[in-house]
Amino acid sequence: MSELRSIAHCGFVAMALVLLVCPALCRLAAQAASATPPPPAPPPRFAPTPEQLAIRAASEKDHQRLMDLLGIKELRPGASHDPKSPYAVNYDESKANVYPSLPDPLLLKNGKRVTSAKVWWMKRRPEIAEDFDREILGRVPANLPRVTWEVVGTTAEKIGDVPVVIKRLTGHVDNSAWPRIAVNIDLTLTTPALAAGPVPVIMELAFSNEFMAAIAKSIPEMMPGGPGNEGPTWQQQVLAKGWGYAILSPTSYQADNGAGLTEGIIGLVNKGQPRKLDDWGTLRAWAWGASRAVDYFETDKAVDAKQVGIEGHSRFGKTALVTMAYDSRFAVAYISSSGTGGAKLYRHVFGELTENLAAAGEYHWMAGNFLKYAGPLTPGDMPVDSHELIALCAPRPVFIGAGASVGDGWADARGMFLAESAAGPVYRLLGKQDLGTTAFPPIETGLVDGDLGFRQHSGGHTPGPNWPTFLDFASRYLHAPAAIKTASTEGSNMR
Ligand code: GCU
């Protein structure tokens, strides 16, 4: 089980991250071999298909291209799941605080303190966003193609005992500037059929069926009905509030690997050319698609587009946080087990590291410039850290969740809590309430009274057990239309 979990946590791109990350870690370990004797080769765990090998090779080639552009010879190895490795992952909090001082979100680059909301909005927030754009996540190109939404199917169904209308949607991305690359966004929207008016919607950034099938054995807690998820599904819990939900497939418009960077929305905008060092990575591309979904909701009378929440887990937890930070139309967010590249402080050396993200299996999530913080520079040299990504969401409410340290340690619940706590001054400056404490709460103790929420559940790598707490938190902000229609009007949302 733990072996399988290690494989899974080595990562698998939507289709084959297992095949990308583990070899990348091995490669980096090999890079360090001049200093230390190489560890014995692990037994082969799987036989990659030719297609998967091709994806890996192309990703490594592009990764090397970025290193050449940056003039970097080698990167430090990431944390290893092998406890015998010299780079074994650290799960000891007393060794985690390697870079104790964080960039101050309320200190301007000119050394002046931010004491008003106006200076935050006009000066400091743009400074932080610029640092994230240039160094960490990459810039979204200025002229992005238009997306035309098509309702490709509408059905009336029941989820549990709630009659719903399900719309399957495709967002057709205008590719007239580069017709060789076709990009479509897959989205489904489910709203209660008997709603008295437009409803709040929670949108999940969903893993593909293929991905879920691949992890079914290694991370069973992520499965609907898996350990810790035995009760009503999150969809049923959302419907019970009188809200609707949407499911967006980020990998429909941007593949989850480096080989795909010359395709999808990133490749389309670059006309099939590779990225520049500050071009957007997949996290921002996936977030772009989430924003396009809101564009659609603004046109659908079943949805109250002012009450749209976003939820994502793991790599999509990172994406949900990026989405929330950059698009103020999202009213509330549930960021689950987002770890490194998400809510966790890069400076908190526990679980997954910056070096893992900068390796060939995950670098595509980030800007090319990000690699240098695993090369000559360190996380301590970053001009920003994740508390400032959370601060970009202010004053809107954010709930951050994770599982137990044994089971979800790779995502580093405490590293995320520390970041959320350090975003507190910005929330307070904008008249909102922070976490209410700087003490890490006992497991299964939700902090949900402020505008920043947090809870560590006792399960593993799953958003499931925190859904009820998140929905209680979100209920302070999202409100279903007052009355329920009579059954005779059932189906009136079907357009
Ligand atoms: C890997 C990766 C994490 C990521 C996770 C996931 O474990 O290292 O950064 O969050 O995959 O998305 O499942």
Side-chain angles (χ1 to χ4, degrees):
M1 165 76 182
S2 72
E3 171 74 350
L4 286 169
R5 182 180 293 280
S6 291
I7 296 170
H9 271 168
C10 272
F12 12 76
V13 184
M15 282 176 270
L17 199 59
V18 167
L19 303 161
L20 295 176
V21 175
C22 291
L25 292 179
C26 295
R27 184 164 69 86
L28 288 174
Q31 284 169 359
S34 51
T36 38
R45 287 166 168 156
F46 44 74
T49 65
E51 191 201 353
Q52 289 164 336
L53 286 171
I55 289 176
R56 183 163 87 201
S59 300
E60 290 186 346
K61 195 167 163 215
D62 182 59
H63 185 255
Q64 185 60 51
R65 182 189 64 82
L66 291 173
M67 284 178 58
D68 293 346
L69 280 178
L70 289 162
I72 295 177
K73 290 266 173 300
E74 59 179 26
L75 300 178
R76 291 183 302 277
S80 165
H81 292 284
D82 176 0
K84 293 194 205 87
S85 161
Y87 309 106
V89 54
N90 176 46
Y91 289 133
D92 178 351
E93 184 56 32
S94 73
K95 296 186 183 144
N97 206 14
V98 180
Y99 309 104
S101 62
L102 294 180
D104 187 334
L106 293 180
L107 194 65
L108 285 159
K109 298 238 182 219
N110 67 10
K112 290 207 177 116
R113 187 136 284 285
V114 180
T115 53
S116 71
K118 189 171 171 214
V119 176
W120 165 256
W121 289 113
M122 305 294 290
K123 296 209 167 118
R124 183 58 182 143
R125 192 180 188 283
E127 283 183 355
I128 294 172
E130 165 59 20
D131 284 341
F132 272 103
D133 284 1
R134 193 186 60 253
E135 301 293 305
I136 311 291
L137 300 166
R139 298 180 195 286
V140 170
N143 296 311
L144 284 160
R146 223 163 25 91
V147 174
T148 309
W149 283 100
E150 180 192 1
V151 181
V152 290
T154 303
T155 50
E157 287 179 28
K158 273 193 168 184
I159 305 284
D161 55 5
V162 181
V164 295
V165 176
I166 302 179
K167 290 179 188 149
R168 281 190 301 108
L169 295 138
T170 301
H172 301 284
V173 183
D174 178 4
N175 67 342
S176 50
W178 195 251
R180 271 183 245 174
I181 297 176
V183 183
N184 290 299
I185 306 175
D186 291 346
L187 174 70
T188 64
L189 170 66
T190 302
T191 48
L194 303 181
V199 292
V201 164
I202 302 289
M203 180 162 73
E204 173 166 87
L205 305 174
F207 293 97
S208 66
N209 293 338
E210 215 171 353
F211 183 99
M212 292 302 275
I215 62 163
K217 288 212 177 76
S218 56
I219 317 183
E221 68 268 28
M222 262 176 73
M223 298 297 125
N229 302 326
E230 292 89 353
T233 64
W234 71 267
Q235 293 94 327
Q236 290 170 333
Q237 295 175 55
V238 168
L239 288 173
K241 300 236 166 245
W243 307 349
Y245 61 86
I247 297 185
L248 178 71
S249 168
T251 51
S252 62
Y253 50 94
Q254 188 60 51
D256 192 2
N257 55 61
L261 289 167
T262 47
E263 293 162 16
I265 182 63
I266 295 178
L268 172 60
V269 176
N270 277 347
K271 300 196 160 84
Q273 293 305 303
R275 293 187 301 165
K276 296 192 294 299
L277 288 172
D278 63 349
D279 273 357
W280 53 344
T282 24
L283 295 185
R284 287 213 72 185
W286 286 336
W288 164 84
S291 292
R292 303 293 67 80
V294 179
D295 297 346
Y296 169 76
F297 299 147
E298 286 174 341
T299 69
D300 189 320
K301 293 198 178 65
V303 178
D304 180 349
K306 298 243 175 308
Q307 299 200 74
V308 175
I310 185 150
E311 178 264 347
H313 174 65
S314 213
R315 69 201 60 191
F316 295 140
K318 307 180 208 302
T319 311
L321 181 57
V322 171
T323 306
M324 183 74 170
Y326 282 92
D327 189 339
S328 61
R329 294 175 299 171
F330 286 93
V332 61
Y334 172 15
I335 312 299
S336 173
S337 298
S338 59
T340 309
K344 168 223 169 89
L345 290 173
Y346 294 102
R347 284 167 173 82
H348 194 247
V349 178
F350 186 106
E352 185 172 28
L353 301 180
T354 298
E355 288 79 356
N356 296 88
L357 232 66
E362 298 181 0
Y363 79 103
H364 58 281
W365 294 339
M366 317 301 286
N369 273 331
F370 182 81
L371 266 61
K372 63 189 184 214
Y373 296 102
L377 302 178
T378 71
D381 297 311
M382 288 182 186
V384 284
D385 211 320
S386 301
H387 60 307
E388 290 166 305
L389 188 59
I390 300 169
L392 292 183
C393 304
R396 289 162 297 133
V398 174
F399 176 86
I400 292 177
S405 301
V406 176
D408 202 19
W410 189 244
D412 184 12
R414 190 182 291 263
M416 295 189 270
F417 173 83
L418 291 171
E420 199 174 12
S421 173
V426 177
Y427 274 76
R428 291 199 301 274
L429 179 79
L430 300 182
K432 297 293 174 180
Q433 282 179 41
D434 63 9
L435 280 171
T437 176
T438 53
F440 189 68
I443 199 153
E444 294 197 343
T445 307
L447 301 175
V448 285
D449 296 337
D451 300 290
L452 288 168
F454 178 85
R455 185 172 183 268
Q456 183 184 33
H457 64 69
S458 57
H461 189 56
T462 168
N466 275 339
W467 266 105
T469 314
F470 164 65
L471 289 175
D472 284 350
F473 174 81
S475 299
R476 290 177 27 224
Y477 305 94
L478 308 184
H479 304 286
I484 296 289
K485 284 184 192 172
T486 60
S488 62
T489 57
E490 180 172 346
S492 60
N493 273 339
M494 289 189 66
R495 270 177 287 274

